[in-house]
Amino acid sequence: SASVQITSSGTWIASSNQSWLTINSSVATTGNATLQLRALANKGAARTAIITISGNGFTSQTITVTQDAQLVVPYLSLSSNTVTITKQQNNIANVFVSSNSSWTPSCNQSWVTLLPNTLTSGNAPLTVKAKYNNTLINRTATVTITENGVNAQTVIITQPADSFTVKNKIADITIDVNAVSKKYLFSDY
């Protein structure tokens, strides 16, 4: 809201040419008075209204009122901050990115591929694809999503280790490195 002091020796009336800007008096007023202007919240671009003050015996006067554009507060959120991908080749997981601006994903490990992997605007899924984990070690990667004006968001990607099989003349034994640690004793017969 704002106010404007009107100085006049005659009778006058004020009107606005925009419905978003109202004035406290739409009836004829005589003499000096304060005109109160009230604007509805702006949900878009900057806008302008014109207040016209007219009356008998004098030239109409105008007041131009400008309201700034809506202040856009950037936001960035993720559907999940942790993802587990199986050890097989080309398995994927999706994380949904919610944003009202442009964001960029990156990853600190080469065994992870991101789609999209470039600047992206607005809400979109982020597909995380992992290469086959043929190691005997669980591995992790950090995906970082950055956007100007907000704190970066991260997703921790976990991929379990592969298991391996030992073959001998007596039996096939599969050892899963993710299982509880156990001792196995093998002897020749």
Side-chain angles (χ1 to χ4, degrees):
S1 68
S3 60
V4 177
Q5 185 64 40
I6 306 295
T7 304
S8 176
S9 59
T11 301
W12 54 273
I13 190 165
S15 62
S16 170
N17 72 338
Q18 297 294 323
S19 60
W20 58 264
L21 182 66
T22 60
I23 53 179
N24 65 328
S25 177
S26 58
V27 296
T29 303
T30 302
N32 301 336
T34 300
L35 191 61
Q36 295 291 330
L37 310 176
R38 295 199 196 300
L40 296 175
N42 188 355
K43 296 180 181 177
R47 57 190 180 181
T48 302
I50 297 176
I51 303 293
T52 303
I53 301 161
S54 55
N56 290 330
F58 64 89
T59 303
S60 294
Q61 302 292 311
T62 59
I63 301 168
T64 301
V65 177
T66 302
Q67 187 179 37
D68 290 337
Q70 174 187 16
L71 176 63
V72 177
V73 177
Y75 67 88
L76 176 65
S77 66
L78 307 176
S79 61
S80 178
N81 292 99
T82 58
V83 172
T84 300
I85 298 178
T86 62
K87 62 188 173 192
Q88 283 76 28
Q89 179 72 17
N90 296 326
N91 276 335
I92 64 169
N94 287 304
V95 175
F96 194 79
V97 179
S98 297
S99 173
N100 63 347
S101 189
S102 297
W103 50 272
T104 305
S106 62
C107 185
N108 68 343
Q109 297 295 324
S110 61
W111 53 269
V112 173
T113 303
L114 303 174
L115 293 173
N117 61 4
T118 59
L119 185 68
T120 303
S121 294
N123 301 329
L126 174 64
T127 300
V128 180
K129 183 173 158 182
K131 294 180 181 174
Y132 174 65
N133 186 1
N134 61 357
T135 71
L136 299 176
I137 300 170
N138 293 339
R139 60 187 180 181
T140 61
T142 302
V143 173
T144 304
I145 294 112
T146 57
E147 176 182 321
N148 286 334
V150 297
N151 292 331
Q153 298 286 317
T154 58
V155 181
I156 303 300
I157 309 299
T158 303
Q159 188 180 40
D162 198 0
S163 55
F164 65 93
T165 302
V166 176
K167 293 188 179 215
N168 66 22
K169 295 178 187 175
I170 300 171
D172 290 339
I173 302 168
T174 300
I175 300 173
D176 185 348
V177 295
N178 295 311
V180 176
S181 177
K182 294 183 180 182
K183 284 187 175 181
Y184 296 93
L185 178 62
F186 302 99
S187 60
D188 289 332
Y189 289 100

